[in-house]
Amino acid sequence: MVVLDTKVNLDRTIAYNPTKHYAYRNWTNFRRGDRLSGQDLLHLTLTGSQNITARMLVNLAGIFEKEAVLRMNAKAKSLGLTQTTFVDVHGLSPKNISTAPEVARMFTAALEYPDVAAALARDRATAQIVSAKGKARRLTFTHTNVLLKKQQVFATEASKTGYLDEAGDALAMRVRDPKTGERFIVVTLGEPRVNPRFAIAKKLA
């Protein structure tokens, strides 16, 4: 939300810099100088749950990360979230905290942004990466919520997952009753990582 509030041009590209953008693990095997568009970065961040791309998006928007964190906390405050605190832009610190009701409100607000809603509704996406030498390659990735890909008694319209060892599995999703058209927000925090994944969220939905 903070990045999109800057009215950043998502057609612009930015190059991966491991010194500035690295976060935990380089799951996508980015190499120094790899360029991606803002739109592809958004899909990698939201659909693919990548952390490096969150840092690249903030950089693309022209915000220093410390300033972005301040804006994130200000945004939370403007939404009336009193138990939510952010300390980084990629979500890897256990000092990022919230509650299920506040995640639900945050998720609802985020879905008011068409780019966010579209990215969180996709079960897969493809990004184009152009190397420093100009060679292009394509990366196809799937959404990390298994419930989005399977036929359910409810329709999953949008979803975002998260995981930390300290936090367990986290999931926010908007579901719709196909018969009545009613929509509901389901949030689970601290769900044990067991098989099948997100079984509690499915039961709630």
Short mmCIF file of all heavy atoms in Angstrom, two decimals, residues 6-7 10 20 24 49 51 62 69 87 95 100 106 114 135 142 146 155 163 174 179 205:
data_model
loop_
_atom_site.label_atom_id
_atom_site.label_comp_id
_atom_site.label_asym_id
_atom_site.label_seq_id
_atom_site.Cartn_x
_atom_site.Cartn_y
_atom_site.Cartn_z
N THR A 6 2.72 6.03 -3.50
CA THR A 6 3.66 6.98 -4.11
C THR A 6 3.36 7.22 -5.59
O THR A 6 4.01 8.06 -6.22
CB THR A 6 5.11 6.46 -4.00
OG1 THR A 6 5.27 5.30 -4.84
CG2 THR A 6 5.48 6.13 -2.56
N LYS A 7 2.38 6.45 -6.12
CA LYS A 7 2.04 6.53 -7.56
C LYS A 7 3.21 6.10 -8.43
O LYS A 7 3.40 6.60 -9.55
CB LYS A 7 1.56 7.94 -7.95
CG LYS A 7 0.44 8.48 -7.10
CD LYS A 7 -0.80 7.61 -7.18
CE LYS A 7 -1.95 8.19 -6.34
NZ LYS A 7 -3.13 7.31 -6.32
N LEU A 10 4.80 1.32 -12.33
CA LEU A 10 5.16 -0.10 -12.25
C LEU A 10 5.69 -0.65 -13.57
O LEU A 10 6.14 -1.80 -13.62
CB LEU A 10 3.96 -0.92 -11.79
CG LEU A 10 3.48 -0.65 -10.35
CD1 LEU A 10 2.23 -1.47 -10.04
CD2 LEU A 10 4.59 -0.95 -9.34
N LYS A 20 22.07 -4.11 -1.59
CA LYS A 20 20.91 -3.31 -1.17
C LYS A 20 19.65 -4.14 -0.96
O LYS A 20 18.80 -3.80 -0.13
CB LYS A 20 20.61 -2.22 -2.21
CG LYS A 20 21.65 -1.15 -2.33
CD LYS A 20 21.39 -0.25 -3.52
CE LYS A 20 20.09 0.50 -3.39
NZ LYS A 20 19.89 1.44 -4.53
N TYR A 24 17.39 -12.73 3.46
CA TYR A 24 17.36 -14.12 3.90
C TYR A 24 17.91 -15.09 2.85
O TYR A 24 19.05 -15.51 2.93
CB TYR A 24 15.96 -14.53 4.34
CG TYR A 24 15.85 -15.96 4.84
CD1 TYR A 24 16.75 -16.46 5.78
CD2 TYR A 24 14.88 -16.82 4.34
CE1 TYR A 24 16.67 -17.78 6.23
CE2 TYR A 24 14.78 -18.13 4.81
CZ TYR A 24 15.68 -18.60 5.73
OH TYR A 24 15.59 -19.90 6.16
N SER A 49 5.28 -14.49 -2.70
CA SER A 49 5.77 -14.33 -1.32
C SER A 49 7.29 -14.21 -1.23
O SER A 49 7.92 -14.77 -0.33
CB SER A 49 5.30 -15.48 -0.43
OG SER A 49 3.97 -15.29 -0.04
N ASN A 51 10.79 -12.06 -0.59
CA ASN A 51 11.18 -10.98 0.31
C ASN A 51 12.11 -9.96 -0.35
O ASN A 51 11.99 -8.76 -0.13
CB ASN A 51 11.87 -11.56 1.55
CG ASN A 51 11.03 -12.61 2.24
OD1 ASN A 51 11.26 -13.80 2.07
ND2 ASN A 51 10.03 -12.19 2.99
N GLY A 62 11.50 4.96 -4.85
CA GLY A 62 12.33 6.09 -4.45
C GLY A 62 12.27 6.42 -2.97
O GLY A 62 12.47 7.58 -2.58
N VAL A 69 9.34 2.21 6.37
CA VAL A 69 8.84 1.63 7.61
C VAL A 69 8.03 2.67 8.39
O VAL A 69 6.96 2.35 8.94
CB VAL A 69 10.00 1.07 8.46
CG1 VAL A 69 9.50 0.65 9.85
CG2 VAL A 69 10.65 -0.12 7.76
N VAL A 87 8.83 -3.17 11.54
CA VAL A 87 10.22 -2.76 11.74
C VAL A 87 11.06 -2.93 10.46
O VAL A 87 12.19 -2.48 10.42
CB VAL A 87 10.88 -3.55 12.89
CG1 VAL A 87 10.15 -3.29 14.21
CG2 VAL A 87 10.95 -5.04 12.60
N LYS A 95 9.93 -9.04 15.12
CA LYS A 95 9.47 -7.82 15.79
C LYS A 95 8.34 -7.14 15.02
O LYS A 95 7.74 -6.18 15.51
CB LYS A 95 10.63 -6.85 15.99
CG LYS A 95 11.68 -7.37 16.97
CD LYS A 95 12.82 -6.38 17.17
CE LYS A 95 13.85 -6.92 18.15
NZ LYS A 95 14.98 -5.98 18.34
N ALA A 100 -4.91 -11.02 14.65
CA ALA A 100 -5.77 -11.50 13.57
C ALA A 100 -6.82 -10.46 13.13
O ALA A 100 -6.99 -10.22 11.94
CB ALA A 100 -6.43 -12.82 13.96
N MET A 106 -6.32 -4.77 7.77
CA MET A 106 -5.25 -4.38 6.86
C MET A 106 -5.44 -5.03 5.49
O MET A 106 -5.29 -4.39 4.44
CB MET A 106 -3.92 -4.82 7.46
CG MET A 106 -2.67 -4.27 6.80
SD MET A 106 -1.14 -5.03 7.42
CE MET A 106 -1.51 -5.30 9.16
N PRO A 114 -6.45 -1.99 -6.75
CA PRO A 114 -6.65 -2.97 -7.83
C PRO A 114 -5.43 -3.82 -8.12
O PRO A 114 -5.55 -5.03 -8.39
CB PRO A 114 -7.02 -2.09 -9.03
CG PRO A 114 -7.64 -0.87 -8.43
CD PRO A 114 -6.86 -0.63 -7.16
N LYS A 135 20.28 -10.45 -21.64
CA LYS A 135 19.63 -11.71 -21.97
C LYS A 135 18.40 -11.89 -21.09
O LYS A 135 18.47 -11.78 -19.86
CB LYS A 135 20.60 -12.87 -21.75
CG LYS A 135 20.06 -14.21 -22.22
CD LYS A 135 21.09 -15.31 -22.08
CE LYS A 135 20.53 -16.65 -22.55
NZ LYS A 135 21.53 -17.75 -22.42
N THR A 142 4.13 -20.15 -8.53
CA THR A 142 2.75 -20.37 -8.10
C THR A 142 2.49 -19.71 -6.76
O THR A 142 3.42 -19.45 -5.98
CB THR A 142 2.45 -21.88 -7.99
OG1 THR A 142 3.37 -22.46 -7.05
CG2 THR A 142 2.59 -22.57 -9.32
N VAL A 146 -2.28 -23.17 -0.95
CA VAL A 146 -2.78 -24.34 -1.67
C VAL A 146 -4.29 -24.28 -1.86
O VAL A 146 -4.84 -24.89 -2.78
CB VAL A 146 -2.39 -25.64 -0.94
CG1 VAL A 146 -0.88 -25.82 -0.93
CG2 VAL A 146 -2.92 -25.66 0.49
N ALA A 155 -15.35 -20.02 -2.68
CA ALA A 155 -14.47 -19.48 -3.71
C ALA A 155 -13.44 -18.57 -3.05
O ALA A 155 -13.81 -17.66 -2.31
CB ALA A 155 -15.28 -18.69 -4.74
N TYR A 163 5.23 -16.85 6.62
CA TYR A 163 5.77 -17.86 7.55
C TYR A 163 7.07 -17.36 8.16
O TYR A 163 7.94 -16.82 7.47
CB TYR A 163 6.05 -19.18 6.84
CG TYR A 163 6.68 -20.20 7.77
CD1 TYR A 163 5.90 -20.93 8.65
CD2 TYR A 163 8.07 -20.37 7.82
CE1 TYR A 163 6.47 -21.83 9.55
CE2 TYR A 163 8.65 -21.25 8.71
CZ TYR A 163 7.85 -21.98 9.58
OH TYR A 163 8.41 -22.84 10.47
N ARG A 174 -9.75 -13.75 1.34
CA ARG A 174 -11.16 -13.38 1.18
C ARG A 174 -11.85 -14.48 0.41
O ARG A 174 -11.40 -14.88 -0.67
CB ARG A 174 -11.31 -12.05 0.44
CG ARG A 174 -12.77 -11.57 0.37
CD ARG A 174 -12.89 -10.18 -0.23
NE ARG A 174 -12.57 -10.19 -1.65
CZ ARG A 174 -12.39 -9.07 -2.37
NH1 ARG A 174 -12.49 -7.90 -1.77
NH2 ARG A 174 -12.10 -9.15 -3.65
N LYS A 179 -23.22 -19.56 -3.37
CA LYS A 179 -24.67 -19.57 -3.40
C LYS A 179 -25.28 -18.22 -3.06
O LYS A 179 -26.23 -17.78 -3.69
CB LYS A 179 -25.20 -20.65 -2.44
CG LYS A 179 -24.83 -22.07 -2.84
CD LYS A 179 -25.37 -23.08 -1.83
CE LYS A 179 -25.00 -24.50 -2.23
NZ LYS A 179 -25.47 -25.50 -1.24
N ALA A 205 -13.16 -21.25 6.87
CA ALA A 205 -13.87 -20.80 5.66
C ALA A 205 -15.10 -21.66 5.40
O ALA A 205 -16.16 -21.16 5.04
CB ALA A 205 -12.92 -20.84 4.47
#
